[in-house]
Structures are given as structure tokens and as C-alpha cells.
């Protein structure tokens, strides 16, 4: 193993999240320089800017194939391309790989399944006796699993993290070894959503059992080698001053002064016609009220697009988009899924120019040409082992 990587692992092993500093980062191996790649050319994406393959991606890939560390923590603020990095790695990884997340919505957006469904965990605080041997096709999945990616790791509780570690140690491809020989990639922003502890009894138990409810307090995380990779390049915003203000709010640094700086840019000033506004509110009900009122103020016919549900797909209000979506020309919209042609990403805003029965034309903020937006599929996945192909394959269990 590379000597610098060994020093990084030795330094970081057993460290707590809040103890990391630049000395640890300086011990990393130096990744290769940035390489630019061009997406496949077609009429939809021909005018797109080049896609940058960051050096952190290469470092991630190198660590995945190395013996150590056992865990890779891939972090970064919103808009730094964590999802793209994972997709890049999954497409290149040679072996059985599964993607899981702590909630149904997160699993849907990550293109995987929930932790509890893959591991068949009961919906309660987890104890070692709750771990049952996998049966049927699940046995084959864990017998061949090489890489496990856990998205939205900030929401994963310490007891769930320990349950994953113990389950893999018992029933993974190499029983008795850390995580059963499976490499773990933990993805997320630790300054975003925190774990959910529902009852007072659970709170008391976790307080007694762990230092905190967070995944990094789990025994398996503290015992085994791990290395962090932080993505720093923000793709979602381009104005450096605005990015710095958002970073201060995210980190809780000079919040009062930062809010004053933000308000200077908008409060009491006329809004330019080309600028799209968004209201941040604490509940879905408030957001729905604002959206209905704004839509009703628009002239022209309204068309409601109804979701088509197939297979085992949960229909609740936690889906990325509403099951029934009313639109009119002039409506302001936000995309909730990355476009395969990279014309837009999750969070891109625009205005509806035309509404048709099978598509809408949307003008994205900052662009003059409208784009045709058609039906999109949200797929819910499960995993199975294909004995003929000798690989783990995803299986669509439902779609919307």
C-alpha cells in the first residue's frame, strides 16, 4: 500500500469526526490531475459544457480497490456532486455493489433500496439478536456483495450502523472479517439532516449505549480504518460570494452578519424580471398553499399531470414530486431529478412556457431557449444475484 495512504489511515483510525483537520488531509495520496470528458453527442446535449471528472473520483476508486481503509466517508456540502461521484464509481466498479439509504425517499433518489428492506431489520432500536440470517435470494446477495454504498449517512443512527456492521460480519462473503470483507462508502453531508430518534425510551437507550445517535459513534465505525474524502467544488451555484454566504449559514459561522449580507441583496429592492424567487417554509402545507395561490393567479388553461404507478410503489407525500401535478403557462417550477442529458439537475429552476397533454416546454433560468420536458420515471429497486451472469443485478420492484 502507498506509504502516504498508510500514514493517513494510521492517523485517522479511531478519530472522531470533529477531530479531523488539515494535517489528516495532507497525508492523503495525491490523486491524478483533473481529466475532462465529453458526454455522448446528440441533439439534446450537444451544446452542454464539458463534464469534469474530479481527482477525488480517482482517489475514491483507488481506495475502494485497496485493502484499507474498510470505510470511506464521502462528504461535501449541497451541490458538490456527491450523487454524480457515486454514479461514476458504480458504473466503473467491477463487482457486486448495492446502494442503500435510511428512508424511502432517499433510496428512491439514490437508485437503491432502504437499509431496513435490504437487511430485513425490524423498525425499532436494533440489538444483535434482531439480526436474522438472510434467506432465499438474499443469501446469494450477501454471499457475493463487494461494495455497499450508504447514502444520506447523516440520518443513519449508531445502532443501525452497528447492526449493518455485525450483519455483514456474520453473513457477508467473508464471515468473521470486518464487514464480512465488504467495502463501505458512506455518503452525505454531516451538517444536514440528523438521525431520527422517535421515542423517549430510544433516546434514553442511545444516550446510555453511545456517545451520540450519529453513525460515527457506532462501535464498528470507531474500531475499523476509515478515510474521508470531501468534495469542495460547488456545481449548483456559480457566484463565489453567494457560495461563501451559504457555507457560513451551513456551518453556523457569523450567522447574523451573513443574514444581513443576504438581505442587502434582496430586501426592499425591486426584483429583476428574469430572477425567479422561491419561498422557504417549514411545512409542506404552507408550500402547497403558496403554490396553489400562485398557480390560480395565472391566466390560461390548467392541465393536471397524473402519476402512473406500477408494481410495489408507495404513494405518499414523501415522494419527490406530487402524484397529481397541475401546471399552467407561466408557472415557476423546480426540477427534482437530474436529467440524463445533463440539461438540468435537481434544484434547477425555470418557467413553463407551454403546456401540452404529453409534455411541457420550460425555459430554464438564465437561458433563452426553452426545453421540452416529457414524462420521467422514478424507479424503486431491489437486488438479486444472477447465478448465470455471476453478478448482482438491480430489479425494478415499482415505478412512478
Amino acid at each position: 500500500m502507498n506509504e502516504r495512504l498508510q500514514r493517513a489511515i494510521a492517523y485517522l483510525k479511531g478519530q472522531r469526526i470533529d477531530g479531523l483537520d488539515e494535517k489528516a488531509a495532507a497525508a492523503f495520496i495525491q490523486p491524478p490531475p483533473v481529466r475532462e470528458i465529453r458526454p455522448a453527442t446528440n441533439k439534446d446535449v450537444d451544446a452542454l459544457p464539458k463534464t469534469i471528472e474530479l481527482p477525488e473520483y480517482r482517489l475514491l476508486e483507488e481506495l475502494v480497490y485497496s485493502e484499507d481503509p474498510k470505510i470511506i466517508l464521502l462528504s461535501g456540502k449541497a451541490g458538490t456532486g456527491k450523487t454524480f461521484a457515486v454514479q461514476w464509481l458504480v458504473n466503473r466498479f467491477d463487482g457486486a455493489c448495492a446502494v442503500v439509504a435510511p428512508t424511502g425517499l432517499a433510496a428512491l433518489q439514490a437508485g437503491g433500496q432502504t437499509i431496513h428492506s435490504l437487511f430485513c431489520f425490524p423498525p425499532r432500536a436494533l440489538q444483535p439478536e434482531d439480526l436474522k440470517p438472510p434467506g432465499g435470494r438474499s443469501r446469494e446477495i450477501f454471499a457475493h456483495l463487494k461494495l455497499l454504498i450508504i447514502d444520506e449517512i447523516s440520518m443513519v443512527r449508531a445502532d443501525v450502523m452497528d447492526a449493518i456492521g455485525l450483519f455483514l460480519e456474520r453473513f457477508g462473503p467473508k464471515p468473521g472479517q470486518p464487514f464480512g470483507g465488504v467495502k463501505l462508502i458512506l455518503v452525505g453531508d454531516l451538517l444536514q439532516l440528523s438521525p431520527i430518534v422517535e421515542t423517549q425510551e430510544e433516546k434514553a437507550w442511545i444516550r446510555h449505549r453511545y456517545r451520540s445517535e450519529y453513525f460515527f459513534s457506532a462501535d464498528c465505525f470507531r474500531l475499523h480504518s476509515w478515510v474521508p474524502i470531501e468534495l469542495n467544488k460547488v456545481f449548483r451555484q456559480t457566484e463565489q460570494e453567494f457560495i461563501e454566504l451559504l457555507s457560513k449559514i451551513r456551518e453556523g459561522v457569523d450567522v447574523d452578519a451573513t443574514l444581513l449580507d443576504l438581505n442587502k441583496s434582496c430586501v426592499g429592492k425591486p426584483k429583476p424580471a428574469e430572477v425567479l424567487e422561491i419561498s422557504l417554509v417549514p411545512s409542506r402545507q404552507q408550500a402547497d398553499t403558496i403554490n396553489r395561490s400562485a398557480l390560480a393567479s395565472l391566466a390560461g388553461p390548467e392541465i393536471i399531470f397524473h402519476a402512473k404507478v406500477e408494481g410495489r410503489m408507495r404513494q405518499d407525500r414523501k415522494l419527490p414530486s406530487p402524484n397529481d401535478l397541475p401546471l399552467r403557462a407561466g408557472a415557476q417550477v423546480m426540477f427534482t431529478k437530474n436529467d440524463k442529458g445533463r440539461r438540468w439537475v435537481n434544484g434547477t429552476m425555470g418557467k413553463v412556457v407551454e403546456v401540452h397533454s404529453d409534455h411541457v416546454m420550460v425555459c430554464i433560468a438564465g437561458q433563452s431557449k426553452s426545453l421540452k420536458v416529457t414524462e420521467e420515471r422514478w424507479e424503486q429497486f431491489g437486488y438479486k444475484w444472477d447465478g448465470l451472469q455471476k453478478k448482482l443485478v438491480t430489479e425494478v420492484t415499482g415505478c412512478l
Side-chain angles (χ1 to χ4, degrees):
M1 187 194 304
N2 183 286
E3 183 180 349
R4 300 188 72 192
L5 178 57
Q6 287 180 322
R7 291 205 305 271
I9 293 169
Y11 179 88
L12 294 168
K13 186 173 181 180
Q15 296 292 308
R16 296 195 60 183
I17 294 296
D18 53 11
L20 299 179
D21 57 20
E22 293 180 358
K23 294 179 182 178
F28 288 146
I29 57 175
Q30 294 298 313
V34 173
R35 182 170 71 89
E36 293 185 340
I37 54 176
R38 180 82 176 169
T41 302
N42 58 49
K43 63 179 180 180
D44 291 326
V45 302
D46 191 42
L48 287 176
K50 293 179 181 179
T51 299
I52 294 180
E53 184 181 281
L54 299 178
E56 288 88 348
Y57 300 172
R58 290 290 185 177
L59 174 58
L60 175 64
E61 184 178 39
E62 183 171 341
L63 293 176
V64 164
Y65 284 108
S66 65
E67 178 64 24
D68 279 303
K70 306 302 181 188
I71 305 170
I72 303 165
L73 177 60
L74 180 65
S75 65
K77 65 187 73 172
T80 52
K82 297 185 292 295
T83 299
F84 182 82
V86 168
Q87 293 172 345
W88 178 89
L89 178 66
V90 169
N91 289 335
R92 295 169 62 90
F93 183 69
D94 182 20
C97 170
V99 180
V100 295
T103 67
L105 176 56
L108 198 64
Q109 293 175 321
Q113 65 183 108
T114 65
I115 294 170
H116 283 67
S117 65
L118 180 64
F119 289 90
C120 294
F121 290 158
R124 58 174 181 267
L126 297 174
Q127 308 284 347
E129 55 268 23
D130 292 323
L131 310 183
K132 307 300 182 185
R137 68 179 187 179
S138 292
R139 186 186 301 112
E140 292 296 321
I141 291 174
F142 290 108
H144 297 90
L145 189 63
K146 301 294 184 184
L147 177 65
L148 178 67
I149 299 172
I150 306 177
D151 200 14
E152 297 293 354
I153 189 61
S154 68
M155 299 177 66
V156 177
R157 292 188 341 195
D159 60 311
V160 176
M161 188 71 201
D162 267 338
I164 292 172
L166 186 56
F167 185 98
L168 292 174
E169 186 177 330
R170 289 180 179 177
F171 311 119
K174 298 179 180 179
Q177 293 191 15
F179 304 111
V182 177
K183 181 79 70 172
L184 264 61
I185 299 180
L186 314 182
V187 184
D189 180 1
L190 271 64
L191 296 181
Q192 291 189 11
L193 295 174
S194 58
I196 297 175
V197 184
E198 294 184 347
T199 66
Q200 291 299 321
E201 290 77 13
E202 285 183 345
K203 289 181 181 179
W205 176 75
I206 287 180
R207 194 178 301 117
H208 171 75
R209 175 67 177 80
Y210 296 103
R211 294 185 181 183
S212 75
E213 67 271 28
Y214 288 89
F215 73 94
F216 51 77
S217 290
D219 296 337
C220 66
F221 187 86
R222 298 177 61 79
L223 288 174
H224 301 305
S225 56
W226 64 278
V227 166
I229 298 177
E230 183 176 8
L231 300 177
N232 291 303
K233 181 177 177 60
V234 177
F235 295 95
R236 196 168 293 168
Q237 290 89 25
T238 56
E239 299 178 25
Q240 187 58 39
E241 183 180 358
F242 184 52
I243 291 172
E244 291 174 358
L245 292 175
L246 293 178
S247 295
K248 288 182 178 180
I249 292 177
R250 171 179 173 268
E251 297 168 11
V253 177
D254 296 332
V255 174
D256 291 340
T258 301
L259 289 176
L260 286 175
D261 288 338
L262 284 173
N263 288 333
K264 287 177 184 177
S265 303
C266 54
V267 175
K269 293 185 177 182
K271 181 179 75 69
E274 71 277 6
V275 172
L276 301 181
E277 290 182 322
I278 184 171
S279 298
L280 300 179
V281 292
S283 71
R284 286 178 178 266
Q285 184 177 2
Q286 288 175 278
D288 289 342
T289 300
I290 293 172
N291 289 339
R292 284 195 298 268
S293 175
L295 193 66
S297 68
L298 299 174
E302 178 177 295
I303 294 182
I304 300 177
F305 295 88
H306 301 283
K308 302 172 185 176
V309 181
E310 302 174 12
R312 301 193 308 273
M313 190 75 175
R314 291 181 58 186
Q315 298 183 60
D316 57 30
R317 294 180 58 79
K318 293 183 179 180
L319 291 172
S321 301
N323 287 335
D324 300 307
L325 178 64
L327 289 176
R328 295 184 185 187
Q332 181 173 303
V333 293
M334 176 184 288
F335 291 90
T336 58
K337 187 176 184 181
N338 296 344
D339 178 44
K340 293 179 181 178
R342 300 191 180 95
R343 294 171 297 171
W344 58 77
V345 297
N346 180 17
T348 296
M349 295 178 63
K351 271 195 174 181
V352 175
V353 179
E354 301 173 16
V355 183
H356 303 272
S357 60
D358 60 346
H359 73 277
V360 294
M361 300 298 295
V362 177
C363 185
I364 290 177
Q367 298 184 10
S368 57
K369 185 180 178 181
S370 60
L371 300 174
K372 183 178 181 180
V373 182
T374 56
E375 282 187 351
E376 183 58 86
R377 284 168 62 94
W378 287 93
E379 295 180 329
Q380 188 166 284
F381 294 95
Y383 293 99
K384 70 175 183 178
W385 174 253
D386 189 319
L388 294 177
Q389 300 185 61
K390 302 295 181 184
K391 68 177 185 178
L392 193 64
V393 296
T394 55
E395 178 181 59
V396 178
T397 59
C399 64
L400 177 70

